[in-house]
Amino acid sequence: MMRVRTVAENYEPLVATTEFDDPLNPDVVHLHLTDGINASSGRFDVTWTTKRYYRYHYTEGDSFNYRYDCHPRIELPDTHFHEPPHAAHDDAVPSCIEVQPVRLVTLAVLQLWRDTAETGDLRLLQQPNPP
């Protein structure tokens, strides 16, 4: 998760602050953004496990959420996307993100967010040719 934080701070200028939920034993890194898709700001809550599973949950409060996940699912590929606005368990579809290294996944997630924030086009969260 330290790598996620470093990549976000170095490559996305709209990441205003970052913080771990617990500095000594973190489970989540929070990436606070100074812009949003439907609001004036947003936040990614990111988790990576030792099994290389991840969760990039984007939120603008209760009204707008989506999530890129990588973990086993019976009916879907391990990498899947929970669609906005609720990111519910039953609205998952295969993810457009096919890369696996922490740095590349983080860059892809941030680029998909930026493309969507700049245009307002939610279809860009799942591009056919991911970054």
Side-chain angles (χ1 to χ4, degrees):
M1 287 187 297
M2 290 176 62
R3 179 82 174 184
V4 169
R5 180 188 66 181
T6 300
V7 169
E9 289 173 340
N10 289 338
Y11 292 96
E12 179 48 66
L14 295 176
V15 172
T17 61
T18 60
E19 64 184 342
F20 291 104
D21 63 329
D22 180 341
L24 298 178
N25 190 21
D27 288 322
V28 179
V29 60
H30 304 286
L31 311 175
H32 300 271
L33 300 153
T34 59
D35 198 0
I37 295 171
N38 292 325
S40 61
S41 64
R43 183 184 76 233
F44 278 103
D45 299 324
V46 182
T47 302
W48 273 83
T49 72
T50 56
K51 293 182 179 183
R52 297 182 183 236
Y53 299 146
Y54 62 75
R55 176 182 59 98
Y56 285 75
H57 175 206
Y58 178 77
T59 184
E60 292 176 0
D62 292 337
S63 63
F64 189 78
N65 293 271
Y66 66 85
R67 196 168 75 238
Y68 297 96
D69 286 353
C70 179
H71 62 84
R73 292 259 326 232
I74 293 171
E75 71 281 9
L76 288 169
D78 288 354
T79 56
H80 49 277
F81 175 71
H82 295 267
E83 298 180 299
H86 303 296
H89 177 76
D90 59 349
D91 64 11
V93 297
S95 176
C96 68
I97 298 175
E98 298 174 355
V99 294
Q100 296 177 356
V102 173
R103 178 178 174 276
L104 296 179
V105 172
T106 302
L107 289 171
V109 167
L110 291 171
Q111 186 63 54
L112 292 164
W113 169 83
R114 179 173 269 285
D115 291 348
T116 304
E118 287 178 349
T119 65
D121 185 351
L122 296 179
R123 294 174 298 176
L124 297 179
L125 292 172
Q126 279 284 86
Q127 295 179 18
N129 297 309

